[in-house]
Amino acid sequence: MTSVRTTNFPHEVAAPGRGGIGESPLRPDGTLKVKGEFAYSSDLWIDGMLWGATLRSPHPRAKILNIDISKALAMTGVHAVLTHEDVPGRKVYGLDHTWDQPVLAFDEVRHHGEPIALVAADHPEIARRAIMAIEIEWEVLEPITDPMAVVADPEANRVQERGGITRHQPVRVGDTNVGRELAAVVVTEEFEVGIQDQAFLGPESGLVIPTDEGLEFYVATQWLHWDLTQIAPCLDLSQDQIKMTMAGVGGAFGGREDISMQIHAGLLALHTRKPIKMMYNREESFFGHVHRHPARMRYEYGAMATGKLTYAKVLIVLDGGAYTSATQNVVGNASSLAVGPYEIPHIEIDVYGVYTNNPPCGAMRGFGAVQACFAHESMMDKVALSLGLDPVTVRQVNAVKQGSKLATGQLVHAPMPMAEMLEMSKAMELPGPTDFSDIRNLPGGASQTTHGEGVVRGVGYGVGIKNICFSEGFDDYSTARVRLEIIGGEPVALVHTAGAEVGQGLVTVEAQIARTELGIEKVVIHPADNGVGSSGSSSASRQTYMTGGAVKAACEAVRDRLLQLARVRLDTPKFLQLVGGKLVTNTGEVMAAIEDVLGDDVLEETREFHHKPTTGMDPITGQGDSHTQLALCVHRAVVDVDTDLGLVKVVALDAVQDVGKIMNRLSLEGQIHGGSIQGLGLAVMEEIQVTNGKVRNPSFTDYLIPTILDTPPQKLEILENADPHAPYGLRGAGEPPTLSSTPAIVAAIRDACRNRGGSGNITRVPVRPEDIIRSS
């Protein structure tokens, strides 16, 4: 077969003698990416390929009366124009066993940008012109866009057959009436979180090649096997007829959990019997993947004079848009973590996920917990303000610890020194005064909106608790195959998993584990594909825990076989262990090197790793051990605010995080930095603007994301309190800082507004200039 330029693995991932667990070998793809030489999915190329393009709906809700493809089909260079009538198998797909999203719209479109037709052509420009030549007769309908109206009357606001509400999850503990009687103060507030986009830098793209057996997919995704379960039925192929290989990924953050171009490219490849490449431009990417759920939230807390909380009443409404995607899981997370890492004796929580004709929403870093965290941390500040107490003290008084129970009744089984982490955060040295002579350090930066006049400083804190791995009874597992052999006179391990490297450094950690467990230096990472069992999704901060656990188990099995072989070949009953590629007795005597024992033999083992079982949440009380692991991060933010113009400069964003075990400090610090800045984006700038169901800013010109000029210095304190159930005691680390950074920054903005004499009553993110001006 003609060769395909694809991902940049296998790699040798570290210099000899370095790179085990706890060290910081450099990423194998790092230099390639810095130099612009890394092959992303958008770089895929094969001779004779055609270009695919998608026609999308200009309406958020409308009936399709007729589609005329004749003009497009007659264009020179066009090889195919497909509609829903050309889908050979199941016409719908969906994440999490919910098959409600059409491959191509039929009868009705339910959101702005919904796919309707496909074109394959010799050149991408021809494909785009053909898309424009397709004529559709519409009956435009009034879109359903108010999620609160859906909760109030789901039958009158039905977006699709499933109804108006995706999932309602209550949580009930104690009696909130009793809690109210005990309270010295009662505070209430309503909060709102806007639609955040994952804003990954590599748009959706991939290549599909027809073969005699079926199809080969080279795609940028977060879960190869889950894609396969959705693709195969729609194409009327068996899973054995499809080969899935990871292509280079330019970021994900949850936005690649859902199918985008995969089925479409597969349809065109089947129809034309030619390779098909599809690549979205930036505008189409905003329509081609799900976003973070916007949220409306109402909170009511009661507290004693000491700051001890007596009760909490919570309503959270999450707008999932037109189709289910991950909304049911987002509801589960939001409900179980709605009041955060605090002990509250009486709790009443109701969380709804609803369908609307707004943009579809699904997984995004920290889903469900991010929205809840902004609200519960804002409430802790509001309680402290009402009682005249320090906001850190109020958090410490109510903080969970090992042995505490969450709102769902789940026991915190691992160390969680939250009160100490807050103290560490508070004790961090504060940055000095801003240098007003350098305008780049001021709100508004080089635009010279101020030279210091009207600038006020504020400090704020936030705590985020995030579940790690999949929850609510999902049988989460990962598979790894490890092969040990002698190549060129030295032992080499080949590690093969389907784990998606989406920028988080999984390939680096896999090699570190293999070096640690096998005591060797040279490790090669096989390209991720479906030639080995599933590794699950690169989401929920789970890959180091789950796929790392699988690699560890497979390496242990290979090591055991090697030691058994050594005892036979060396004719020794002595206890043997591997140290630096040598077989050594417990007295330190070197018996032989791996290569001398192994010879021409090859040892290969495949293992699955499963985490401890979880349970679903009770549909009435919300009780249950629904989570595998919990991780905690504390942020302290320092901001300078121009209260006259409503502009913000984040001066510092310091974090304290417990990671259980530092696997690779360099990668870990990068994860904490990245998650923190993504939270900064949500706090002050990132929002998809939607008017009556239509997206108004599908570009990086109008959808703003933080740049290096918006990124403040970040001091980190990293703790290692091992989780007894996790491999090496580690905790997933990528998502928690995304939670706590947002409320910390907003708390600091509120503090600045109050320092100016204002109310500081800011209840929505991202914070807009007018919010600051009104609150100062």
Side-chain angles (χ1 to χ4, degrees):
M1 162 171 263
T2 306
S3 63
V4 178
R5 203 150 41 106
T6 178
T7 53
N8 305 276
F9 306 113
H11 294 296
E12 296 173 16
V13 291
R18 296 201 306 268
I21 293 303
E23 300 185 43
S24 293
L26 297 179
R27 295 172 56 109
D29 53 351
T31 301
L32 294 170
K33 288 179 176 176
V34 170
K35 294 173 68 176
E37 296 173 354
F38 184 84
Y40 291 98
S41 57
S42 54
D43 296 314
L44 294 170
W45 186 278
I46 189 171
D47 290 340
M49 72 181 191
L50 303 177
W51 292 80
T54 309
L55 173 67
R56 297 180 178 275
S57 170
H59 307 294
R61 188 184 183 198
K63 290 184 178 180
I64 300 173
L65 303 181
N66 185 56
I67 302 177
D68 184 353
I69 64 173
S70 59
K71 292 180 181 178
L73 199 56
M75 293 177 64
T76 302
V78 172
H79 291 252
V81 181
L82 307 181
T83 69
H84 73 90
E85 295 178 347
D86 300 296
V87 177
R90 191 190 297 230
K91 290 181 179 288
V92 291
Y93 65 94
L95 202 64
D96 296 326
H97 305 289
T98 308
W99 298 72
D100 65 350
Q101 191 157 349
V103 173
L104 294 168
F106 50 91
D107 300 332
E108 185 176 334
V109 294
R110 296 179 176 86
H111 70 89
H112 185 199
E114 182 159 355
I116 300 167
L118 307 171
V119 167
D122 291 330
H123 189 277
E125 187 56 40
I126 296 174
R128 284 191 286 269
R129 288 204 300 266
I131 284 295
M132 296 173 64
I134 297 173
E135 297 178 350
I136 301 179
E137 184 181 351
W138 300 99
E139 180 186 340
V140 178
L141 304 173
E142 185 66 25
I144 295 168
T145 60
D146 183 356
M148 305 304 289
V150 177
V151 172
D153 192 345
E155 285 302 312
N157 293 279
R158 294 172 68 94
V159 169
Q160 58 160 298
E161 291 299 319
R162 292 177 182 272
I165 295 175
T166 317
R167 179 181 178 184
H168 168 218
Q169 180 60 60
V171 177
R172 301 289 187 266
V173 179
D175 186 339
T176 54
N177 291 323
V178 172
R180 189 179 182 91
E181 292 173 1
L182 297 172
V185 296
V186 173
V187 295
T188 63
E189 193 57 82
E190 294 185 359
F191 302 99
E192 186 176 353
V193 175
I195 304 178
Q196 187 181 20
D197 188 73
Q198 293 85 353
F200 41 68
L201 298 184
E204 292 81 351
S205 53
L207 178 67
V208 180
I209 303 170
T211 68
D212 293 340
E213 294 77 27
L215 295 175
E216 291 185 358
F217 283 75
Y218 297 85
V219 292
T221 180
Q222 290 181 239
W223 191 351
L224 287 166
H225 284 77
W226 206 254
D227 282 7
L228 181 59
T229 63
Q230 298 172 78
I231 293 168
C234 296
L235 301 183
D236 197 25
L237 297 175
S238 69
Q239 294 189 21
D240 292 339
Q241 293 176 281
I242 296 176
K243 181 181 179 182
M244 303 285 295
T245 301
M246 277 293 297
V249 179
F253 312 115
R256 300 188 200 272
E257 283 198 49
D258 289 72
I259 291 288
S260 59
M261 48 64 61
Q262 291 95 316
I263 299 175
H264 295 164
L267 283 172
L268 291 170
L270 283 177
H271 190 85
T272 63
R273 302 306 301 170
K274 289 180 176 292
I276 299 292
K277 178 174 179 176
M278 295 192 78
M279 183 174 68
Y280 294 175
N281 61 23
R282 180 57 58 188
E283 178 178 356
E284 186 173 14
S285 181
F286 272 92
F287 294 106
H289 64 258
V290 296
H291 316 286
R292 188 184 299 287
H293 288 72
R296 307 272 189 89
M297 301 174 283
R298 185 182 187 279
Y299 274 62
E300 178 182 315
Y301 278 9
M304 298 178 181
T306 60
K308 182 66 178 174
L309 297 174
T310 61
Y311 80 99
K313 294 181 72 173
V314 175
L315 170 67
I316 300 176
V317 178
L318 299 160
D319 185 350
Y323 300 108
T324 306
S325 184
T327 298
Q328 294 174 349
N329 296 327
V330 178
V331 168
N333 271 13
S335 56
S336 63
L337 303 174
V339 295
Y342 302 106
E343 294 181 332
I344 306 176
H346 305 285
I347 299 171
E348 182 180 312
I349 298 168
D350 286 281
V351 181
Y352 294 86
V354 303
Y355 296 106
T356 67
N357 294 118
N358 291 320
C361 293
M364 184 176 173
R365 199 175 197 169
F367 69 31
V370 163
Q371 295 89 330
C373 185
F374 170 61
H376 66 63
E377 289 306 283
S378 298
M379 288 299 289
M380 299 306 286
D381 288 336
K382 198 171 182 69
V383 168
L385 188 65
S386 298
L387 292 169
L389 298 174
D390 178 67
V392 171
T393 300
V394 170
R395 287 172 168 85
Q396 290 174 317
V397 165
N398 295 284
V400 297
K401 54 188 176 296
Q402 189 171 15
S404 296
K405 287 186 177 181
L406 299 181
T408 60
Q410 180 158 3
L411 196 70
V412 177
H413 69 263
M416 188 167 285
M418 176 175 159
E420 293 86 345
M421 292 170 69
L422 280 159
E423 199 63 41
M424 291 173 67
S425 179
K426 191 174 181 180
M428 284 182 168
E429 184 180 356
L430 286 165
T434 295
D435 178 10
F436 285 1
S437 66
D438 188 341
I439 59 173
R440 292 174 299 177
N441 296 330
L442 291 169
S447 60
Q448 299 195 66
T449 58
T450 180
H451 289 271
E453 59 273 32
V455 174
V456 186
R457 176 160 289 187
V459 179
Y461 295 85
V463 184
I465 185 170
K466 177 65 176 69
N467 61 304
I468 305 299
C469 300
F470 296 150
S471 302
E472 297 194 69
F474 190 95
D475 182 18
D476 190 10
Y477 73 93
S478 193
T479 313
R481 181 181 301 139
V482 174
R483 176 187 178 97
L484 181 65
E485 59 187 318
I486 306 302
I487 301 176
E490 64 177 316
V492 178
L494 176 67
V495 177
H496 188 185
T497 77
E501 172 57 64
V502 296
Q504 82 279 39
L506 175 62
V507 292
T508 312
V509 170
E510 288 179 343
Q512 288 180 260
I513 292 171
R515 289 193 199 93
T516 298
E517 298 302 326
L518 296 176
I520 65 173
E521 298 174 348
K522 196 165 187 178
V523 178
V524 175
I525 304 300
H526 191 287
D529 58 29
N530 65 329
V532 66
S534 176
S535 287
S537 175
S538 288
S539 59
S541 302
R542 62 174 290 284
Q543 281 292 10
T544 301
Y545 190 124
M546 298 302 300
T547 299
V551 172
K552 182 175 186 290
C555 286
E556 289 169 342
V558 167
R559 187 181 66 213
D560 289 345
R561 283 185 58 193
L562 178 66
L563 294 174
Q564 291 170 8
L565 184 64
R567 292 189 186 98
V568 172
R569 291 188 173 173
L570 300 176
D571 192 25
T572 176
K574 295 179 180 179
F575 172 83
L576 296 176
Q577 57 185 333
L578 280 173
V579 179
K582 309 291 187 190
L583 292 108
V584 181
T585 68
N586 55 359
T587 62
E589 177 187 2
V590 177
M591 301 297 293
I594 290 178
E595 52 265 36
D596 296 329
V597 171
L598 193 56
D600 293 331
D601 287 347
V602 175
L603 302 181
E604 182 176 287
E605 293 290 338
T606 301
R607 290 291 184 275
E608 282 186 2
F609 178 79
H610 295 248
H611 61 58
K612 70 183 185 72
T614 60
T615 66
M617 297 174 67
D618 185 277
I620 305 300
T621 66
Q623 300 302 289
D625 292 334
S626 60
H627 297 313
T628 304
Q629 187 188 61
L630 298 161
L632 202 66
C633 184
V634 177
H635 268 98
R636 184 192 65 186
V638 181
V639 303
D640 284 345
V641 180
D642 183 336
T643 53
D644 294 328
L645 295 178
L647 302 177
V648 177
K649 174 70 175 180
V650 181
V651 176
L653 190 56
D654 305 322
V656 181
Q657 186 164 338
D658 190 343
V659 302
K661 169 66 178 176
I662 298 175
M663 304 288 283
N664 181 315
R665 178 177 286 273
L666 188 62
S667 291
L668 171 65
E669 290 178 354
Q671 286 285 296
I672 298 174
H673 288 154
S676 300
I677 300 307
Q678 209 155 25
L680 182 156
L682 178 60
V684 296
M685 63 181 70
E686 292 190 48
E687 183 178 12
I688 292 179
Q689 300 286 334
V690 179
T691 303
N692 204 30
K694 285 196 171 186
V695 176
R696 297 300 189 186
N697 60 332
S699 76
F700 284 165
T701 300
D702 302 305
Y703 182 93
L704 303 181
I705 58 175
T707 71
I708 191 64
L709 293 177
D710 302 298
T711 303
Q714 292 182 260
K715 301 172 190 171
L716 303 182
E717 291 284 353
I718 301 174
L719 309 182
E720 295 183 275
N721 292 290
D723 182 338
H725 297 300
Y728 304 108
L730 66 87
R731 296 176 196 258
E735 291 176 289
T738 312
L739 275 65
S740 48
S741 55
T742 299
I745 291 167
V746 178
I749 295 171
R750 293 190 192 107
D751 185 51
C753 292
R754 287 194 292 269
N755 289 339
R756 185 68 185 269
S759 67
N761 189 32
I762 296 173
T763 59
R764 185 190 189 281
V765 288
V767 178
R768 296 166 175 167
E770 58 264 32
D771 300 329
I772 295 171
I773 294 168
R774 186 183 62 249
S775 304
S776 298

